[in-house]
Amino acid sequence: MNRLAGVTSPYLLQHADNPVDWWPWSPEAFEEARRRDVPVLLSVGYSACHWCHVMAHESFEDDVTAAYLNEHFVSVKVDREERPDVDAVYMEAVQAATGQGGWPMTVFLTPDAEPFYFGTYFPPAPRSGMPSFRQVLEGVRAAWTDRRGEVAEVAGKIVRDLSQREIDFGTGNGGGGAPGEPEIGQALLGLTREYDPQRGGFGGAPKFPPSMVLEFLLRHHARTGAEGALQMAQDTCERMARGGIYDQLGGGFARYSVDRDWIVPHFEKMLYDNALLCRVYAHLWRATGSEPARRVALETADFLVRELRTNEGGFASALDADSDDGTGRHVEGAYYAWTPGQLAEVLGEDDARIAAHYFGVTEDGTFEHGASVLQLPQQDSVFDAEKVESIRRRLLAARAERPAPGRDDKVVAAWNGLAVAALAETGAYFDRPDLVEAAVGAADLLVRLHLDEQARLARTSRDGHVGTHAGVLEDYADVAEGFLALASVTGEGVWLEFAGFLLDHVLARFTDPETGALYDTASDAEQLIRRPQDPTDNATPSGWTAAAGALLGYAAQTGSAPHRTAAERALGVVKKLGPRVPRFVGWGLAVAEALLDGPREVAVVASAPADKASTALHRTALLGTAPGAVVAYGVAGSEEFPLLADRPLVDGRPAAYVCRHFTCDAPVTDPKRLRDTLSG
């Protein structure tokens, strides 16, 4: 019996009709393994994962393989996006044992959830040195049946090793003090060494958008004027925006590029990547006035609203990489790639030649089967702008007639928090109130559906129904970050209040009171074989450093010493890791830049909420580049924000008070003077 039919995860629902007798992660699954005295197959993936779909089709939809699994194992399927704690614990074990990891993740466990054999994708037949999945299953069954003592010994050693890692890690990194100028300098030097000056970005293929590192570089430039930091950020953003990793027709970024030149992406489009990069490009425009950065920020924001917003006002998690190629086959990139012939069918021969030249579409192709991923290999000035825009509109309309990639429409709290921050700021910068309204809509959904009476946060919802899994640290931190950004943009203090509720949970339930170290799960969460704890960024900011940033921003808004102290203690791990692995603590380094700068506290006192002079000062404050600056906006006498207390108008005119640690400069009434004050 397959038990996935009643779950909310779209990824699990994709397996609800498999012949495999899947269980969701639950105590009942492990009790069943004990009752039958069989091992557990743990299969972890996510809906936009190409190789997860491949292994599902090859093995989990195969009746013979399913029958073997059902007879000799209890099979558990986990959506890593819904249960990042389960994913993190067993991925750490996989990486420790094999030196690599990825999805699908395949782990064999004892009925006590202790891992003893690991892998990722296994093919249906032996290939390229890999055993077949059936060979793996037979080998694991033989070990379980004939060498149970060895299995228990291996499983016990793995759990002990993981526990020892936690002890060494957890007590050695909290409370060490935040990074100072020496550590920031070493981190910047390390990034410079890994930077690819020809192509932008860091390292080789595959190449991922370095969103958190880009935020650090922009903040470092704002604080110090370091041109090298800005140049790395600008060049990387330009190369990505001109490459195939960026959707040249519909906006938005794919997950990563399989090559060093950003040409061919892995086509899945994730909410978190696009929220983070929307914010990066908006901040790049704020720093430089770059027109391409403005265009990409707005196109990415429009993509989020157009293609990922749900009926309830939240944002869906992802679009798949695969789609129907028109013949009934699901093919990666089929929705996005073009041949010269396909261009001609839509545009006619003359415009097709222009489009092929402009977008780099060749007869040989840059992708599979002679198709090309659209990119911008030429300078825009060579082409007529109106003609290009006409071509883009027609191609986008034609593409909309193709079978679309599937959408994972679960709403993940953390990623919606990132989207709230990005859309609120982008809308404010570019006078797009519709984007701010979209941010408010998502924030309303999080409060209405994901928060309970104790301000405890649920990780996911779908179709207006909240999931059963508790929020993890990144959920609390990223949603708080989104609420803080929304408070600054809207001048509505209720969002500051909600951020405070979430951060109280961070202090009480996720923080080690002795060391200041942070855990990814709450103290009262389900107990796994170890309590996950990771300060390094992955595709998103780590929960640890995201919490540090939100705690620091909340402290700046409210003057709360406990929140500031907690942020400083949390940044101790960045002091240690920043000089060694700066690419993996980019958000922590960005938060450290805010701490070194203050951060600035800007109180804009309005004469009336919609007064022209007041809103001009407010927008100028939001456009200030000082790292991590917070903005409070309200009419004189308002109690919405602590920063507004005892801040009067100046000669009856709206005024801005710029402070650090609640020590303020003389108020200014002129937007230009305010801009100069907040220029970093």
Side-chain angles (χ1 to χ4, degrees), residues 370-402:
S372 293
V373 182
L374 303 189
Q375 54 178 314
L376 302 180
Q378 311 293 331
Q379 291 300 315
D380 292 350
S381 58
V382 177
F383 299 88
D384 177 78
E386 289 187 9
K387 172 63 73 174
V388 167
E389 187 55 33
S390 169
I391 288 171
R392 183 181 274 116
R393 281 197 306 269
R394 284 181 282 162
L395 290 178
L396 183 61
R399 191 179 76 176
E401 299 300 317
R402 295 177 173 180

Side-chain angles (χ1 to χ4, degrees), residues 224-240:
T224 68
E227 289 298 325
L230 179 61
Q231 197 67 51
M232 284 192 283
Q234 280 184 300
D235 290 351
T236 298
C237 285
E238 180 185 356
R239 293 303 184 106
M240 289 193 301

Side-chain angles (χ1 to χ4, degrees), residues 242-244 246-250 263 295 338 343 347 351-362 366 372-378 380 383 387-393 395-396:
R242 298 187 70 85
Y246 183 68
D247 184 347
Q248 302 296 340
L249 299 182
I263 296 173
R295 176 181 61 80
W338 295 80
L343 294 180
L347 302 171
D351 281 0
R353 280 193 293 271
I354 296 172
H357 189 41
Y358 183 75
F359 289 118
V361 177
T362 66
T366 58
S372 293
V373 182
L374 303 189
Q375 54 178 314
L376 302 180
Q378 311 293 331
D380 292 350
F383 299 88
K387 172 63 73 174
V388 167
E389 187 55 33
S390 169
I391 288 171
R392 183 181 274 116
R393 281 197 306 269
L395 290 178
L396 183 61

Side-chain angles (χ1 to χ4, degrees), residues 299-561:
E299 287 179 355
T300 303
D302 287 336
F303 158 74
L304 290 173
V305 174
R306 183 182 67 249
E307 298 194 35
L308 293 184
R309 187 158 58 171
T310 68
N311 292 334
E312 296 74 33
F315 290 91
S317 296
L319 298 180
D320 288 352
D322 303 0
S323 59
D324 192 317
D325 66 353
T327 68
R329 295 186 309 132
H330 271 251
V331 176
E332 185 178 5
Y335 188 69
Y336 300 101
W338 295 80
T339 64
Q342 289 170 331
L343 294 180
E345 287 177 16
V346 175
L347 302 171
E349 294 294 339
D350 291 343
D351 281 0
R353 280 193 293 271
I354 296 172
H357 189 41
Y358 183 75
F359 289 118
V361 177
T362 66
E363 291 292 341
D364 292 336
T366 58
F367 186 48
E368 298 171 352
H369 313 299
S372 293
V373 182
L374 303 189
Q375 54 178 314
L376 302 180
Q378 311 293 331
Q379 291 300 315
D380 292 350
S381 58
V382 177
F383 299 88
D384 177 78
E386 289 187 9
K387 172 63 73 174
V388 167
E389 187 55 33
S390 169
I391 288 171
R392 183 181 274 116
R393 281 197 306 269
R394 284 181 282 162
L395 290 178
L396 183 61
R399 191 179 76 176
E401 299 300 317
R402 295 177 173 180
R407 188 173 84 162
D408 182 334
D409 54 1
K410 71 176 178 293
V411 172
V412 175
W415 307 344
N416 273 256
L418 297 175
V420 167
L423 292 171
E425 291 183 351
T426 303
Y429 296 170
F430 303 116
D431 194 23
R432 285 282 303 273
D434 59 312
L435 297 180
V436 178
E437 289 170 9
V440 171
D444 280 339
L445 177 71
L446 291 170
V447 170
R448 186 175 72 252
L449 198 60
H450 286 243
L451 278 182
D452 68 11
E453 298 82 1
Q454 289 80 43
R456 291 177 180 242
L457 196 58
R459 170 75 174 171
T460 62
S461 67
R462 183 169 182 259
D463 294 335
H465 301 288
V466 68
T468 59
H469 304 299
V472 296
L473 179 60
E474 72 161 354
D475 294 304
Y476 285 83
D478 289 338
V479 172
E481 174 79 12
F483 287 173
L484 290 169
L486 200 57
S488 289
V489 166
T490 63
E492 296 175 0
V494 66
W495 300 115
L496 177 63
E497 188 176 355
F498 280 127
F501 294 153
L502 296 174
L503 293 172
D504 286 346
H505 281 291
V506 169
L507 295 179
R509 299 170 56 229
F510 292 88
T511 304
D512 185 327
E514 298 296 321
T515 66
L518 289 152
Y519 290 92
D520 292 330
T521 54
S523 54
D524 55 355
E526 177 188 350
Q527 298 300 300
L528 303 175
I529 58 171
R530 83 168 192 87
R531 191 177 177 190
Q533 182 184 46
D534 187 357
T536 59
D537 297 333
N538 197 294
T540 59
S542 73
W544 184 315
T545 56
L551 288 163
L552 184 63
Y554 184 79
Q557 279 278 17
T558 63
S560 170

